[in-house]
Amino acid sequence: MRPFQNIDSQWKFSVGAGYYVIDNSDILWTVAAGPGYQETRYNTVPAGDDLDSHSGTFQISSEYDQELTDDVELYWLYEYTASNDATGRGKHHAEIALDIDLISDIDFRIAANFDHIDRPQPDDNGVIPDNSDYRLTVGLNYDL
């Protein structure tokens, strides 16, 4: 199994405009898009390559939140970020989660996440990391 993405750290700044597709008491669905800037530091790179890369970006996203019952909420998020080849070209991030009210401001959350990068950066041995990563998380959320 190959490691995922070879990324030590990454940050992104973006601005955009959005639209409320649905906004009522049970459902909130938004879409947004806009330009940005991204900087990535890799763990290792082939000899002669720079550990840091940067790029202008364009991001589109959609977020959906629905109250299924009084105690159960469905959450869905999808983001796509287009950038240059040095920072991975295209990145997809998706998340789907169920939040279950336990008591007061504490929720139980189970979430599935998917991340994909079109062009992962090879490491110093030339090994290209996996393009896709899947995670399942469970946890407790406290709303402040």
Side-chain angles (χ1 to χ4, degrees):
M1 177 187 233
R2 296 180 294 174
F4 179 65
Q5 292 187 349
N6 185 27
I7 294 175
D8 180 46
S9 63
Q10 184 174 78
W11 65 268
K12 167 173 58 173
F13 173 79
S14 61
V15 296
Y19 179 75
Y20 287 93
V21 178
I22 300 174
D23 185 5
N24 62 40
S25 61
D26 293 329
I27 299 173
L28 176 63
W29 180 18
T30 62
V31 293
Y37 176 81
Q38 174 178 296
E39 192 161 299
T40 305
R41 174 175 279 276
Y42 295 104
N43 290 315
T44 62
V45 294
D49 286 357
D50 194 356
L51 278 175
D52 296 314
S53 64
H54 53 86
S55 172
T57 63
F58 187 80
Q59 181 173 314
I60 59 172
S61 65
S62 183
E63 192 170 7
Y64 182 87
D65 201 340
Q66 179 178 1
E67 293 285 334
L68 299 177
T69 69
D70 287 343
D71 296 328
V72 179
E73 183 177 318
L74 173 69
Y75 174 78
W76 174 82
L77 168 70
Y78 174 77
E79 294 176 339
Y80 175 76
T81 304
S83 62
N84 67 12
D85 284 349
T87 55
R89 190 189 301 162
K91 293 187 179 171
H92 305 262
H93 171 75
E95 177 179 352
I96 188 164
L98 278 177
D99 291 317
I100 302 166
D101 292 338
L102 295 179
I103 53 171
S104 186
D105 294 329
I106 299 176
D107 295 341
F108 172 76
R109 173 173 266 210
I110 183 165
N113 292 272
F114 167 74
D115 288 298
H116 176 86
I117 184 168
D118 291 342
R119 290 207 168 178
Q121 173 69 37
D123 66 14
D124 55 351
N125 295 319
V127 175
I128 298 173
D130 287 336
N131 292 69
S132 298
D133 184 41
Y134 306 89
R135 294 179 316 278
L136 180 67
T137 59
V138 294
L140 297 174
N141 291 340
Y142 178 74
D143 292 328
L144 299 173

